[in-house]
Structure formats: C-alpha cells, structure tokens
Amino acid sequence: MPNVSKPKASKEKKTNGKPVRRSVFPIVGIGASAGGLEALGVFLANVPEKSGLAFVIIQHLDPTHKGVMAELLQRETPMPVVQVKDRMKVKPDCVYIIPPDRDLSILNGALHLLEPVAPRGLRHPIDFFFRALADDQQERSIGVILSGMGSDGMLGLGAIKEKGGAVFVQDPLSAKFEGMPQSAIDAGVADVIAPIADLPGRILSYLRHPGLPVKPVGKIEEKLDSSLEKVVILLRAQTGHDFSLYKKTTIQRRIERRMGLHQITRIEMYVRFLRENPQELKILFQELLIGVTNFFRDPEAWEQLKKDILPKLIAGADTNRMLRAWVPACSTGEEAYSLAILFKEVLEQVKPARKITLQIFATDLDLNAIEKGREGIFPANIAADVSAKRLSRYFTKVDRGYQVVKAIREMIIFAPQNIIMDPPFTKLDLISCRNLLIYLTPELQKKLLPLFHYSLKPGGFLFLGNAETIGSFTHLFSPLTGKNRLYQRSASKLTSGLPEFPTAFSLLQADAPAKLPGLNNNLQSIAEELILQNYSPAAILTNEGGDILFINGRTGRYLEPASGKANWNIFVMVREGLRYGLTNAFQKAVHLKETVVLKNLEVDTAEGKQTVDITIQPIKGASHLKENVLIVFSDVLLKPKAVKAKSRGLHKDTERVMELEQDLDRALQETQSIREEMQTSQEELKSANEELQSTNEELQSTNEELTTSKEELQSINEEMHTVNQELQARLDELSHANNDLKNLLDSTDIATLFLDGNLRVRRFTSETGKITKLISGDIGRPITDIASALLYPELAEDALEVLRTLIKVEKQIPTQNGRWYAARILPYRTFENMIDGVVVTFSDITAYKKLEEELKKTEERPSFQSDPKE
C-alpha cells in the first residue's frame, strides 16, 4: 500500500524506452442511497484537505432530475467537488459525483460514462462501479458503503476484497437507513464498521499499513507459510476447530485485514499478538466463518425441489414415517426454514392419507448464528426474498422484523457441528449443502462427498449450490434433469469400502453383505442348493461398484479378506494374479454391458498355482437383479505338452522358458487390455469435456439470468428520497434567501409592491400595508380592488404604460392624511431577462415636502431693508 501521508500524483517507469505514467494514489468509491446526502456531508467534512485520496460518489439518482449534489456537497469540503464528465481523469484530493441516468466505470484512472442497460428499478450503479474499480485499481481500491436502502454494492465490495482492496461500512446504528450497510455486514465483506465521522481516519490509518507480500518467494514464502500454520494451530487450540483444510487465500486475507486494523506490519508479530490476546483469536475465528445466506436463494432450484423431489419423498414414505433432512453450514437458518416452508406447502398439495412429518437438522460452526437461527427472527427486508403470501402465513410481525411461526420452528433442530471433525447424521432423505464446498480445499471436498453418500438412504437426494459439483463422484450421485445442482444417491457403494469418517466418529461398523430372498424350506430347494454347492462353479454376485451381494460355492481359492476393517468389495478381496485382469475386465463389462471372458489366469493357492478362467456377465432384463454383475470362476486343467523321448536333449532351463513365455503372453494380453481401456478412457474424457463445456455454458447462462433482489418501487423510493433531500436543501437555501430579502427590504423603510403582468398583487412589504391597506389575504387580487390612502387613481394606468414601454415612471403622490410619497414604477425582470410584472416602490418624502414648502414660503415673504438714516 502507498504511504498516503506523502501522496504523489503519479510516477514513471520505463517500458521500451518510453515513460509510462501510472496512478499511485488510492481511489475511494463511496456508495450511498437514501439518507446518503447527510452522511456524505459528514464524511467529507472529516477528510483532511491534503489526504492524497480521490473520492468517487455513486448514488441512486432520479434519471429525470437534474443533479445538484456537487453544489450541495461543495459547502462541506475544501476539495473540488465536480460532476463526472466522460473520460475525466481522476486526480488526488478531488471529489467526483456520478450524474443522473448514467452508469460509471473506470479504466486506467479515467472515469467513463455509459448509458444504463437495465431498466429503471433494476439498476445497480454501485455494484457496477465497485467491480470496475477493483479491476482497475487492484489493491489500491477502497469501497465505502453509507446510509441507504437495499443491498446495492454488496457484490462490488466482494470484488474489491478479492483484488486485495479494503471495505469500510458505516455503522448501521448511525445510518439514517441501515439497509445497505447491514447487507454488507451480513455478507461478511465489511473490514471496518464505524460511525461516519470516524471512517476517513480509519481509511488513512489502514492505507499506511504495508500489508503482506502478494507473491512471496524463497525464504519469505517459507516464513509466511510457517506463520499461517502457527495461526491455524492457535485457532485450533483456542476454538477446537481446524482451518488447515480451508482455502489458504481466504485465511491470508482475513489475517491481513486484522493486521491492518491493529497496525501490525509483520505476520510474526501478529502471531505473537494472537498468543497474548485470546480475544483477537475469537474475532479472527468469527471472521473465518461463512455466513452468506438468504431465504429461497436461487428460486429456480427451490422450485424444482418443490415440484420433483419433495413429492417423491412424501409418496415413498411409510405410514407415520418421519423424513429426515440435514442442512450443514446453515448459518442463521434461512435455508433450513425455506426447506420447512416448502415441505408444508407440498404436504398440503399432496394431502397424503397417512401422517408424514419432516425433521430437519441444521448445523453450523458459528454458535452465534445457531442462536439466531433458533430464535427465528429476521429483519423486515426479507420481504424481498419471501412472498407476501408466505410472510403472512409463516411469519409473525415483531418489533425487530418477522419471526417464523412456531409450527415451522419446531420442525428444525439447530445444533453446533464441525463437519470436518464431528460425526455426520445418517439415514437421511435429503442433504442441502449449498455454497459450503467452494470455501474448502479439493482434498476436503473429496472426503465430504463420500460422507454425504454414506449419510443418505438409497434414493436420497443431495442439494448443492450453483457453483458446486460432485466432481469425480459420478458413480455415487446421479444428476437430475435441469441445470440446478440436484443429485440422487446411486445404489452403488464406495469402491474403497466405508468413507473416511472424522476421528470423533470411530464406532462405525462395516455394512454386512446384502442377502437375497431366502429359499423355501422344501426338499426341492434343499436338493438344488446341494447341487449348486457341490457341482456348480464358484460364482459371486456384485453390484456395479464391485460390492459383493451373494457368494455361491467355494471361493477361497480366488478371494481372501483384506486386513483392517471388513470390506466386502471384490477388488479388495481378490487374490494376487487375478486382481489386475479382473479389475479391467469388470470395468469393460459394466461399461459395454457385455460378457467378458478372461482365459488362463494363474493364481497362487495353498496347493500351488492354479489356472482359472473368469466370466464376467452383467445381468440384463427386468429381473430384480438388474444392474448387478455375475462373476464365475472355472478351474482349468492344462494338458502337459509332448516332450521328446530323449530327455538328455532337453535344456535344463526349459521349464523357465515356458514360464517366461506364459508371462509374455499374459503381458501381451494386459497390454492389449490397457490399450482398449485407454481408448475407452479417451472417449469418456472427450465426452466429459463436452459435458464440462456444456456445464460452463449453463453456468454462464445462470449467472446472466440471476435476478437482483431489489424491486423497482424500492429503487424509485431511493431516488425520490435523494431528490427530496436535494429539494429540502434547496428549500433551506430559498428560506435563507427569503429571510435575507425580507430583512433587507424592511431595513430600507421603503414600501415595495410586486405586481404580476395582470396587475395582481404578488408580494408586498410591511411598509406597503400602511399606505395601501393590504393584508396577506389580498395576494392575487387586482391592485384596482385594493383601498389605498394614496391619492393616486392613475396607478394602474401608469403600471400598464411601464409594461408597454418598459420605461420607468416616477411621481410624487400625496395621501389623505397629508403625507407625501415618491412613487417609482419599474418593470420586473427575471434571470432569463423576461418581463413578468412591475415593481412599485413608495419612499416617504413628507419631510422633504415640508422643507420644500417652508423654503417656498421663505422665498415668497417680502424683503425689508432698514434705512440707516431713519
């Protein structure tokens, strides 16, 4: 991070002999909506004049309203405040404001205006700019969210954090509208939450922190990895939870943010700080937890769950049976409650004759989230995700928002659980694990998916997030139709036996082999059984995963239990010499649905080597054994080859040569089998590649089709609130101007009368009321209807003459009580130089008139000169 205490406008670096100028000052993007004008004023008032930062303000503005935000905010800061123009270069210590009806982007430090594509009400200008800011400025980007309604900016803040920037959010308690700040906090993207007046100082302190190296190498990388591992060790010792299988980048970013807040420059010092401050360990632990969820997220997936899966589960349930579901990483419970609500709706539609209930286990690592989930109280803005019908039926209005009704809450059991270490739930009909796997390493994902397969009943369903897949476990789960991540548990079992359970779950036992329907206890059945045991070849019935279902005859020559946990998979039990050939042939038979025969395989037995033919036959037809495989072992008696009469001519190594020839034949067969398998694998890889491309296209389409949670009315309300704030500011200015004008006119003691073009009274001063008998109710009346003490009957005629000639009229007018006024009539001009009436002023000249009369009398008085002789 740059040192903003000494900001520089730009720096140069050489590229092919030419200097390239590059911005080095951080750019702060500020998102605000309803109530944002006041918050922006406080924010800018607390920014130092020479901070070295640039500020770009994005607001929800009415597209039809002329923006005056720059003029209003200029009074709060000495920095220049300007409305953005296309291709305007961003400079430090300046404030830029988005104009109405435009989207704003940034490229190479220059701002660009674009026409909005989304219709009014569905626009997210804050998200749009924050994403562009993150791409352009990388780690120098700073995102700030102030007062506002809705959730605009949340996704853009995630992009800023991904690029190494920082996110600062106004404390919802100090915000006029807490929707946008609270959305950022709930999404877990807020680095700093503080009152609006403290945010500028916190931003400057954060930028002075150097941060961790982005791409460490050599010893630096070793030290960083060592320190990260020590942090994980401390977290495990303090909380009992192991984060070593979480993605490393996620942990590193969280640690870097905590270091920046505490102004710690080296991660080794932060490790020491953690050891000395257990409270910091708790805070870091909370920041590492995942808490992004909402009601009915991805509505299309929930709709498919309602239409296709829940009716099947209800229809297949036994009398008075309780269906079981598990929601790992449930956070505050929105997903679990969504599932319960859907089940209630489906149950009412199906109306089964028997009683069917649903028990949901909602688990999470975060104890605070579990407590909130149990309480079942959610903010009022869930109305954006929950329909009005569901709100009225399944929620109760309370002071803090909405509370889930008791009947729904009783369907869910909330419990703390570490999915990595604690035992799983079993005998489940449905697992809804959405957007958890994306935070875990691939190694941990490969452990969890077999665990989910084990936890589900045969035919159970797995519900994943849109960004998650089952990976290579296509033999464990079958995808349902559609682009949603809904899977059904396959009948096949794990090829490696039981999944790797957490260490705390060590009392599991291996499943016993499945039994076929018993034989009837009659003579014919007993005879058939004896014949099969003594005269039929040894045979084994397995499923397509190789798990043994039934054994006929003596198979001890070919199979041997493996050491360790009991495992009934044939690939684990088959003896050496048969394993490789059997494995390849089995996969080929299952893939092609054809019988495969292996000839002259050798297996070591207690009596010596035995040659065996193996027949692998997939079972077809409508039998209840369909999709199973029959494996038949047949011993082969090889005839000894003819030898010459004279044994002396035989080479002493003849037997060795024969063994080598047999090994060569076997190697040639295996090579041919490998070649065929490679061809099959190439075809499968090609098909998988095509499916992956199709999946990518579907994912891209899904991302494009994702709708925003903001409704048009909410957006318009935000725009109206912003306009109202601007209008209120204008009204305040107008009120001040009117007060100033009134005091100015009153201080002159000049009676002033404003008439419109039809000579109706528009406004008058208090002095005018003394000579024209005007009252406030006379506004709008013609001046000819107003009684006046002035002896000036031609006032209306003179006013019309001024309107016609635009030449002022000046006269001295007496009153009935003997006072005199100097009347002046001038045209009323607007700022657009339009004539819109007349202005009449009356100045009291009574004293002047009296002096004039006395002077006249003095001049008229005869002058007498005395004679000195007299």
Side-chain angles (χ1 to χ4, degrees):
M1 289 291 179
N3 189 343
V4 295
S5 60
K6 295 181 180 181
K8 299 178 182 180
S10 62
K11 68 179 181 179
E12 293 186 357
K13 68 176 184 177
K14 297 290 183 177
T15 304
N16 296 330
K18 297 181 179 180
V20 177
R21 301 187 66 84
R22 184 181 179 186
S23 169
V24 296
F25 55 87
I27 297 179
V28 181
I30 305 177
S33 180
L37 181 60
E38 178 182 349
L40 287 168
V42 176
F43 182 92
L44 294 178
N46 285 273
V47 176
E49 183 178 358
K50 297 297 182 182
S51 65
L53 309 180
F55 302 90
V56 182
I57 297 174
I58 313 296
Q59 266 205 306
H60 296 158
L61 302 174
D62 183 353
T64 62
H65 180 71
K66 182 180 179 181
V68 293
M69 187 70 66
E71 302 173 12
L72 299 177
L73 293 179
Q74 185 63 78
R75 299 177 301 183
E76 307 294 341
T77 176
M79 295 183 293
V81 181
V82 296
Q83 191 174 86
V84 175
K85 295 182 180 180
D86 196 30
R87 302 184 68 185
M88 179 177 283
K89 195 71 175 179
V90 179
K91 298 179 181 179
D93 301 318
C94 292
V95 181
Y96 303 88
I97 298 178
I98 185 175
D101 198 27
R102 285 292 182 271
D103 281 337
L104 184 62
S105 184
I106 184 170
L107 178 65
N108 297 327
L111 299 172
H112 295 262
L113 297 176
L114 302 102
E115 294 186 4
V117 178
R120 182 181 179 184
L122 298 177
R123 299 173 185 173
H124 292 76
I126 302 176
D127 273 331
F128 186 84
F129 178 74
F130 279 177
R131 287 195 186 99
L133 180 64
D135 293 335
D136 190 67
Q137 297 297 308
Q138 301 291 318
E139 70 277 1
R140 290 188 303 277
S141 57
I142 305 292
V144 178
I145 286 293
L146 305 181
S147 172
M149 294 185 289
S151 60
D152 190 12
M154 184 177 64
L155 299 178
L157 293 177
I160 289 177
K161 292 185 66 173
E162 182 181 0
K163 299 296 184 181
V167 173
F168 296 79
V169 177
Q170 180 182 0
D171 188 345
L173 297 177
S174 66
K176 208 167 187 178
F177 293 90
E178 63 178 14
M180 285 170 52
Q182 194 63 50
S183 295
I185 295 171
D186 293 342
V189 296
D191 293 325
V192 175
I193 305 169
I196 184 66
D198 297 341
L199 287 179
R202 299 292 293 271
I203 293 173
L204 292 173
S205 298
Y206 171 81
L207 291 174
R208 293 189 182 100
H209 180 261
L212 297 177
V214 180
K215 295 181 179 180
V217 294
K219 294 183 178 180
I220 298 178
E221 183 178 9
E222 293 179 2
K223 289 183 179 180
L224 179 59
D225 291 341
S226 175
S227 299
L228 289 176
E229 291 169 357
K230 289 181 175 64
V231 172
V232 172
I233 292 173
L234 293 175
L235 284 170
R236 185 177 61 184
Q238 173 78 12
T239 66
H241 301 297
D242 186 4
F243 287 92
S244 60
L245 293 178
Y246 278 57
K247 288 187 177 178
K248 182 178 177 181
T249 54
T250 301
I251 299 177
Q252 182 172 335
R253 287 171 183 166
R254 296 291 184 182
I255 292 174
E256 185 175 85
R257 284 193 291 273
R258 297 304 303 171
M259 291 173 59
L261 293 176
H262 293 291
Q263 298 297 292
I264 298 176
T265 58
R266 297 169 54 195
I267 190 170
E268 298 88 349
M269 298 172 61
Y270 184 68
V271 173
R272 183 178 181 86
F273 180 76
L274 285 175
R275 297 189 66 185
E276 297 174 351
N277 297 274
Q279 185 62 29
E280 176 66 17
L281 272 172
K282 295 180 180 179
I283 297 175
L284 180 61
F285 170 70
Q286 290 294 329
E287 290 199 1
L288 288 171
L289 299 179
I290 304 163
V292 181
T293 183
N294 56 271
F295 283 95
F296 300 101
R297 181 172 46 185
D298 307 323
E300 292 183 3
W302 286 99
E303 191 65 24
Q304 185 176 1
L305 186 71
K306 179 179 179 181
K307 290 182 178 179
D308 300 338
I309 296 179
L310 292 180
K312 289 182 181 179
L313 292 177
I314 294 174
D318 299 331
T319 305
N320 296 330
R321 179 185 164 191
M322 176 183 288
L323 298 174
R324 293 160 59 89
W326 180 25
V327 183
C330 68
S331 188
T332 49
E334 287 90 333
E335 186 175 324
Y337 285 120
S338 300
L339 179 59
I341 291 172
L342 280 189
F343 176 78
K344 280 288 187 182
E345 293 176 349
V346 173
L347 202 63
E348 293 176 359
Q349 293 176 359
V350 176
K351 295 181 180 179
R354 53 195 183 279
K355 182 180 179 182
I356 305 296
T357 58
L358 174 65
Q359 183 72 71
I360 301 175
F361 302 96
T363 64
D364 197 275
L365 200 61
D366 189 351
L367 295 178
N368 295 329
I370 289 295
E371 290 299 325
K372 292 180 181 178
R374 285 198 187 105
E375 191 179 27
I377 297 179
F378 300 94
N381 57 13
I382 65 170
D385 302 311
V386 183
S387 64
K389 182 179 179 180
R390 285 172 174 164
L391 275 178
S392 62
R393 183 169 185 181
Y394 300 108
F395 294 83
T396 303
K397 185 68 175 174
V398 294
D399 294 338
R400 289 183 288 165
Y402 293 97
Q403 184 176 28
V404 182
V405 296
K406 185 178 180 181
I408 299 296
R409 297 203 309 271
E410 289 178 345
M411 296 172 60
I412 305 173
I413 296 177
F414 286 93
Q417 184 199 41
N418 186 337
I419 196 172
I420 303 174
M421 302 177 62
D422 297 334
F425 295 89
T426 58
K427 298 181 180 180
L428 300 170
D429 298 279
L430 174 67
I431 295 178
S432 178
C433 181
R434 313 193 68 225
N435 298 327
L436 168 65
L437 301 181
I438 58 177
Y439 294 96
L440 308 178
T441 60
E443 293 79 10
L444 185 55
Q445 294 181 24
K446 292 179 180 179
K447 294 181 180 180
L448 288 182
L449 287 169
L451 196 67
F452 290 159
H453 178 271
Y454 175 83
S455 300
L456 286 170
K457 292 180 179 179
F461 296 92
L462 176 63
F463 188 18
L464 298 180
N466 283 346
E468 299 167 330
T469 64
I470 58 174
S472 60
F473 295 100
T474 54
H475 60 290
L476 299 182
F477 298 97
S478 302
L480 301 183
T481 57
K483 57 186 179 181
N484 299 310
R485 299 295 186 260
L486 288 164
Y487 303 88
Q488 187 170 20
R489 182 189 189 274
S490 300
S492 60
K493 297 184 179 180
L494 296 172
T495 57
S496 59
L498 293 176
E500 183 179 347
F501 290 102
T503 55
F505 195 46
S506 58
L507 301 178
L508 286 175
Q509 296 180 354
D511 289 340
K515 294 183 180 180
L516 292 176
L519 300 175
N520 295 328
N521 294 324
N522 52 42
L523 183 61
Q524 180 180 354
S525 299
I526 295 174
E528 290 176 351
E529 185 175 355
L530 288 173
I531 294 171
L532 288 173
Q533 290 179 355
N534 293 279
Y535 298 99
S536 63
I540 296 175
L541 184 67
T542 71
N543 58 20
E544 292 186 346
D547 300 312
I548 298 175
L549 304 176
F550 182 77
I551 298 176
N552 178 74
R554 298 181 179 180
T555 59
R557 292 184 177 183
Y558 323 110
L559 304 181
E560 180 182 13
S563 62
K565 292 183 179 180
N567 194 331
W568 289 91
N569 191 272
I570 190 171
F571 306 120
V572 178
M573 299 180 66
V574 70
R575 290 181 180 273
E576 292 294 336
L578 304 180
R579 181 170 299 165
Y580 183 81
L582 178 62
T583 302
N584 294 334
F586 186 93
Q587 294 176 354
K588 182 178 179 181
V590 171
H591 180 71
L592 300 178
K593 300 297 182 183
E594 295 178 356
T595 301
V596 177
V597 179
L598 297 176
K599 294 288 189 180
N600 300 327
L601 298 181
E602 286 190 354
V603 60
D604 291 328
T605 65
E607 295 82 12
K609 291 188 177 182
Q610 175 64 49
T611 304
V612 182
D613 289 348
I614 302 178
T615 303
I616 305 169
Q617 178 182 355
I619 299 176
K620 304 177 182 178
S623 171
H624 65 282
L625 299 178
K626 184 181 179 181
E627 295 184 353
N628 292 324
V629 180
L630 182 64
I631 303 174
V632 180
F633 298 90
S634 301
D635 292 341
V636 178
L637 297 177
L638 295 177
K639 295 181 180 181
K641 294 184 179 180
V643 297
K644 295 182 179 180
K646 295 181 180 180
S647 58
R648 296 178 182 178
L650 294 177
H651 194 276
K652 62 179 180 179
D653 293 333
T654 301
E655 294 181 0
R656 177 59 178 164
V657 171
M658 293 175 62
E659 291 179 359
L660 292 175
E661 288 178 351
Q662 292 178 359
D663 291 342
L664 180 59
D665 291 339
R666 189 181 301 111
L668 291 174
Q669 293 178 5
E670 292 178 356
T671 304
Q672 180 64 26
S673 176
I674 292 174
R675 185 180 293 109
E676 294 176 357
E677 184 180 351
M678 288 182 61
Q679 292 177 353
T680 304
S681 299
Q682 288 177 354
E683 294 176 358
E684 292 177 353
L685 287 174
K686 183 177 180 181
S687 176
N689 186 39
E690 294 175 353
E691 292 178 1
L692 183 60
Q693 291 179 353
S694 176
T695 302
N696 287 337
E697 293 175 359
E698 291 178 3
L699 180 60
Q700 182 179 358
S701 176
T702 301
N703 289 336
E704 293 174 355
E705 293 173 0
L706 286 175
T707 57
T708 61
S709 58
K710 186 186 303 178
E711 298 177 355
E712 182 176 0
L713 180 59
Q714 176 182 338
S715 176
I716 294 176
N717 285 339
E718 294 176 13
E719 294 172 359
M720 290 179 61
H721 194 279
T722 303
V723 172
N724 287 338
Q725 283 187 300
E726 295 180 1
L727 292 178
Q728 184 62 45
R730 284 293 189 180
L731 288 176
D732 293 340
E733 291 182 355
L734 182 60
S735 177
H736 291 310
N738 286 336
N739 291 335
D740 295 342
L741 181 61
K742 180 178 182 300
N743 283 277
L744 174 63
L745 294 175
D746 291 344
S747 65
T748 60
D749 292 330
I750 298 175
T752 307
L753 176 63
F754 297 89
L755 305 177
D756 62 15
N758 295 321
L759 302 187
R760 293 189 178 91
V761 177
R762 177 182 290 165
R763 180 179 296 183
F764 59 90
T765 62
S766 57
E767 289 293 324
T768 309
K770 297 178 181 179
I771 58 178
T772 60
K773 309 301 182 184
L774 282 169
I775 59 176
S776 58
D778 291 331
I779 293 177
R781 294 179 58 189
I783 189 60
T784 54
D785 296 347
I786 307 299
S788 175
L790 293 170
L791 300 177
Y792 190 15
E794 61 274 12
L795 173 60
E797 296 179 2
D798 290 346
L800 291 174
E801 183 66 18
V802 170
L803 286 174
R804 187 180 66 82
T805 62
L806 304 182
I807 299 175
K808 68 180 180 180
V809 172
E810 294 181 338
K811 290 185 177 182
Q812 295 179 354
I813 307 300
T815 64
Q816 297 174 354
N817 56 6
R819 302 189 68 82
W820 284 82
Y821 289 88
R824 298 182 66 191
I825 306 176
L826 297 90
Y828 182 98
R829 295 179 183 273
T830 65
F831 281 112
E832 291 80 15
N833 200 26
M834 301 290 293
I835 304 301
D836 191 21
V838 295
V839 180
V840 185
T841 60
F842 300 96
S843 301
D844 190 348
I845 58 172
T846 303
Y848 169 77
K849 276 294 187 181
K850 289 182 179 179
L851 289 174
E852 185 181 19
E853 290 179 359
E854 291 178 1
L855 181 59
K856 286 183 179 180
K857 289 180 180 179
T858 302
E859 292 177 351
E860 292 176 355
R861 184 181 306 162
S863 178
F864 298 98
Q865 295 181 357
S866 58
D867 189 351
K869 294 180 180 182
E870 290 181 356

